[in-house]
Amino acid sequence: MGLGAAASWPLAARAQQPAARFPTVGFIGPSTASADVTRRNAFAKRLRELGWVDGRNLAIEYHWADGVVLRAGEIAAEYAQRKVDVIVVSGDAQVLAAKRATAAIPIVIAAAADPVGNGLVESLARPGGNATGLSRQLTDSTGKRLEVLREFLPDLRRVAILFNAANPLTAPELNVAQAAGASLGLDTVNCEIRSAEDVAPAIEALKGRADALYVCIDPLVNTNGVRISSLALAARLPTMHSSRDNIDAGGTISFGPDVTDLFRRAAEFVDKILRGARPTDLPVEQPTKFELVINLRSAKAMGFEVSLALLSRADEVVE
């Protein structure tokens, strides 16, 4: 099935087409097609390795929420109406939107910050309901991100925490970041956004009030990654992220699970479900790969030196 046709909007037009001869997977990308391309490719490649080829014995439909939770819910509702065989979605708010759309169709969580704490599943070992998949263990690694940020900036005193205040599911990471900052003797400053229009004034307001910017993961944030990184660079604020994707958008440092690997492993959940497994019988899995990525180009543009000790520990250095 061609990607261009599958990416069209709205979905309703596709409901007029004859039913596929083979199982259909409905993929909901949390941000944009360009931002999600690496993850999408890893997912499709792993499916091919498992014997599922799009257009041959499987149909994969791709649609993107552009960082809007409401849109993710609309996509999921369309998928549910058409009775696709599996829905693949990532991001806690988007997963909840998909669960509201259907309690019957299996949902594979490609990556979620806190699947138990945010009510996506009952427990990691026994998910219950129709959803299972992969956890990012986001809050477990939050303190480590701040430690790395302080190693990058030995004189670090004040850290601004950028988060989407319109998404209550960012609260766990925000709260842990504040607590971890306090335990490290750092002052934290909240930097709230609720829409793309808030990004510029929010970062502008940090001038003279922060030494660095910790960015909480969120679809709105990811969709505006380039804007955030550009504004932070202009304000001479190094940024810390939990995903390597943000480095591609110009961020300074990231430490967290290899999300591309999580999407690859999500394909394995789809494979098991298409072969008869029930989501409730598949425990939620945790990351096995963590990566530290440093954007040396960004650091040098702001006039910061990166210690050889930190560079030697990086899994990747962008120069």
Side-chain angles (χ1 to χ4, degrees):
M1 184 171 294
L3 180 58
S8 61
W9 184 265
L11 285 160
R14 299 185 61 81
Q16 308 296 324
Q17 298 181 5
R21 304 186 309 276
F22 26 71
T24 299
V25 174
F27 184 103
I28 304 174
S31 52
T32 63
S34 58
D36 291 336
V37 64
T38 302
R39 300 172 180 183
R40 180 184 75 237
N41 289 344
F43 172 76
K45 179 182 178 183
R46 183 58 180 147
L47 277 177
R48 290 193 298 273
E49 293 170 350
L50 293 166
W52 299 101
V53 180
D54 187 17
R56 183 177 302 169
N57 61 354
L58 183 72
I60 309 176
E61 296 191 12
Y62 298 95
H63 293 86
W64 285 269
D66 297 330
V68 180
V69 173
L70 178 61
R71 185 170 298 171
E74 292 171 347
I75 297 170
E78 289 278 1
Y79 282 152
Q81 183 179 3
R82 294 173 37 232
K83 295 182 172 59
V84 301
D85 295 273
V86 184
I87 293 174
V88 177
V89 61
S90 65
D92 299 51
Q94 286 86 340
V95 175
L96 285 178
K99 283 173 65 69
R100 284 191 291 269
T102 177
I105 296 173
I107 295 172
V108 170
I109 305 167
D114 188 2
V116 176
N118 284 331
L120 312 185
V121 298
E122 293 175 9
S123 71
L124 298 183
R126 298 182 180 275
N130 63 322
T132 188
L134 295 129
S135 168
R136 295 173 62 112
Q137 284 185 288
L138 194 65
T139 54
D140 292 350
S141 52
T142 297
K144 179 64 175 178
R145 276 186 284 282
L146 284 170
E147 290 176 7
V148 171
L149 187 57
R150 188 171 65 173
E151 185 175 356
F152 174 76
L153 292 174
D155 296 329
L156 181 65
R157 295 291 180 270
R158 297 168 295 177
V159 179
I161 304 174
L162 187 150
F163 65 100
N164 179 7
N167 180 5
L169 301 188
T170 62
E173 185 180 10
L174 170 65
N175 294 338
V176 173
Q178 292 171 330
S183 70
L184 291 171
L186 302 173
D187 294 328
T188 57
V189 179
N190 284 355
C191 179
E192 297 185 13
I193 61 171
R194 292 177 179 273
S195 68
E197 291 70 28
D198 297 334
V199 172
I203 294 178
E204 178 71 23
L206 294 177
K207 289 183 178 178
R209 300 178 59 220
D211 305 313
L213 184 64
Y214 179 103
V215 183
C216 292
I217 194 74
D218 172 81
L220 175 65
V221 167
N222 283 355
T223 303
N224 291 276
V226 173
R227 181 181 304 181
I228 290 169
S229 296
S230 298
L231 291 165
L233 181 67
R236 204 170 173 270
L237 287 172
T239 55
M240 169 57 78
H241 307 268
S242 62
S243 174
R244 194 240 180 276
D245 289 353
N246 300 107
I247 302 301
D248 294 334
T252 313
I253 311 175
S254 71
F255 175 77
D258 182 342
V259 180
T260 300
D261 182 61
L262 295 183
F263 272 74
R264 183 188 66 82
R265 291 167 59 192
E268 297 171 2
F269 278 84
V270 171
D271 172 63
K272 291 174 183 176
I273 290 170
L274 291 178
R275 297 184 191 278
R278 299 185 306 163
T280 189
D281 297 327
L282 299 174
V284 174
E285 297 180 5
Q286 301 183 50
T288 56
K289 293 183 178 180
F290 284 78
E291 56 183 0
L292 171 63
V293 183
I294 299 173
N295 188 339
L296 193 59
R297 186 190 313 129
S298 170
K300 288 181 176 179
M302 290 182 283
F304 294 109
E305 295 289 333
V306 184
S307 71
L308 291 177
L310 185 58
L311 288 173
S312 67
R313 296 207 315 275
D315 296 280
E316 182 179 352
V317 176
V318 178
E319 300 187 69

